[in-house]
Amino acid sequence: MKNPGENNHSGPVSEFILLGFPCTSGIQIFLFALFSVTYILTLIGNLCIICAVRWEHHLHTPMYILLANFSSLEIWYVTSTVPSMLANFLTETKIISFSGCFLQFYFFFSMGSTETFFLSVMAFDRYLAICRPLHYPSIMTVRCCIRMGACCWVCGFTCFLLPVYLISQLPFCGPNTIDHFLCDPGPLMKLSCVPAPATEVTCAVFNSVLIFSAFLFISSSYTLVIRAVLRVPSADGRRKAFSTCGSHLAVVSLFYGSITVMYVSPIAGNAAGIQQIVTLFYSVLTPLFNPLIYSLRNKEMKEALRKLFGTLRFAQRQSLKTSNS
């Protein structure tokens, strides 16, 4: 099999080669099948949550509206990278254009930033519901929830414009091979013809501020929530509160654990293999796990999904009867 890494050149770069997972053609086909199944399951799982919230009126509450937005975000998040990764498994060239690379960079990291904002808002929602239950209905109205969700989308797609612009202005004159399966800022900056310490520091500070400020807010919210739950006299009440918050904490741990390892820990910028594994975890596996976490740990969501599947089965039977008659 031809090695894409040999296609480097010394002229101005108009395209990049995503090296991805260099392995034999048989393993490439296996990975294609594996990630295709993962991608389909991710789409189905998150679409089920969106449909359940949309069709069940008793789920038209701030918590579930935020969850539906979060599931929609996960669908676009995984779609920004997986289809191109799957296409690269089936081709030897593995080429992505300069503009295509930076568009992928922008959308992938903008949606990642949006995810941090949504996790923060969801933590704030749980803080109000458990620590300020009397004020919750007046503060977290549906209108307020929709506005906060809109702010998450707008801020997420705005704040990453500067890093994308700074890196896109770097001179790229070859080699043009990115040792990754997506256009990540670290490998991209390594391909610059000249050192860019100011851009590297700006991006590092930006990532750290975004990650740690959101994580500090989320941690503070859940610390207050846990303190409040521990003071609940009823064991059943504590169990119910912990069950609801446990889902959020599990998602936060999965997402923040992996991105911290990737962009803040000492391995950032080192071993390409480790970078790819960690990136796979938070960009492909976490969106797959999230619907399972929220549906398996939430009785209302399980009941809504049960009704949804029952409705779909009934509609299918009716369709079959109509076609047979």
Side-chain angles (χ1 to χ4, degrees):
M1 180 173 158
K2 186 179 179 182
N3 182 6
E6 295 174 358
N7 292 336
N8 295 330
H9 52 80
S10 57
V13 170
S14 60
E15 59 189 24
F16 294 100
I17 298 169
L18 292 173
L19 195 57
F21 304 91
C23 52
T24 64
S25 58
I27 296 178
Q28 295 268 337
I29 296 299
F30 169 76
L31 291 175
F32 172 82
L34 176 64
F35 289 118
S36 294
V37 172
T38 301
Y39 179 57
I40 292 170
L41 291 176
T42 301
L43 296 183
I44 292 173
N46 284 287
L47 279 172
C48 284
I49 288 181
I50 294 170
C51 292
V53 174
R54 173 67 180 84
W55 290 341
E56 286 295 323
H57 294 289
H58 73 278
L59 296 184
H60 292 178
T61 61
M63 184 178 81
Y64 291 107
I65 291 173
L66 291 172
L67 179 57
N69 271 270
F70 190 75
S71 293
S72 177
L73 170 64
E74 293 288 64
I75 290 174
W76 290 109
Y77 186 50
V78 75
T79 300
S80 68
T81 56
V82 174
S84 65
M85 181 176 68
L86 293 176
N88 283 344
F89 283 132
L90 302 179
T91 180
E92 292 186 2
T93 56
K94 306 181 186 299
I95 291 174
I96 184 171
S97 66
F98 186 92
S99 57
C101 182
F102 279 92
L103 279 174
Q104 184 190 62
F105 174 19
Y106 170 69
F107 281 107
F108 178 70
F109 285 93
S110 292
M111 283 182 278
S113 301
T114 305
E115 185 160 342
T116 65
F117 294 133
F118 264 109
L119 289 172
S120 300
V121 172
M122 292 165 80
F124 179 65
D125 173 74
R126 290 301 85 203
Y127 162 76
L128 288 176
I130 295 173
C131 299
R132 298 288 185 270
L134 298 179
H135 299 91
Y136 180 78
S138 60
I139 297 176
M140 189 60 76
T141 61
V142 172
R143 177 177 294 182
C144 176
C145 173
I146 293 173
R147 287 177 178 174
M148 293 176 75
C151 285
C152 289
W153 285 101
V154 172
C155 292
F157 276 82
T158 302
C159 67
F160 234 89
L161 287 170
L162 178 61
V164 172
Y165 173 77
L166 291 176
I167 296 176
S168 68
Q169 297 307 301
L170 296 176
F172 296 98
C173 55
N176 66 335
T177 299
I178 300 174
D179 193 6
H180 213 308
F181 62 87
L182 57 80
C183 291
D184 190 81
L188 271 173
M189 284 190 284
K190 287 181 181 179
L191 298 182
S192 174
C193 301
V194 296
T199 300
E200 291 180 6
V201 170
T202 301
C203 291
V205 170
F206 180 87
N207 288 333
S208 299
V209 169
L210 177 64
I211 292 171
F212 283 122
S213 59
F215 184 71
L216 181 62
F217 179 84
I218 293 170
S219 301
S220 301
S221 298
Y222 281 118
T223 299
L224 295 173
V225 166
I226 292 171
R227 286 178 58 187
V229 170
L230 292 175
R231 288 198 292 265
V232 174
S234 167
D236 186 60
R238 287 196 301 270
R239 192 180 306 109
K240 183 178 179 181
F242 273 126
S243 176
T244 303
C245 296
S247 301
H248 295 270
L249 285 172
V251 172
V252 169
S253 300
L254 284 172
F255 182 74
Y256 273 96
S258 54
I259 64 172
T260 300
V261 169
M262 185 66 189
Y263 298 107
V264 182
S265 74
I267 74 149
N270 295 330
I274 297 177
Q275 285 189 353
Q276 291 187 20
I277 292 171
V278 176
T279 305
L280 269 178
F281 189 82
Y282 75 80
S283 66
V284 179
L285 297 181
T286 301
L288 172 66
F289 293 150
N290 288 350
L292 297 175
I293 292 171
Y294 282 116
S295 61
L296 291 177
R297 295 183 59 89
N298 189 299
K299 291 183 179 179
E300 290 183 321
M301 183 57 66
K302 283 192 286 188
E303 183 62 28
L305 290 172
R306 194 177 295 114
K307 290 181 180 179
L308 174 64
F309 294 142
T311 302
L312 292 175
R313 283 195 296 268
F314 176 77
Q316 185 181 25
R317 286 196 296 267
Q318 292 296 107
S319 177
L320 289 173
K321 288 180 181 179
T322 304
S323 61
N324 291 333
S325 61

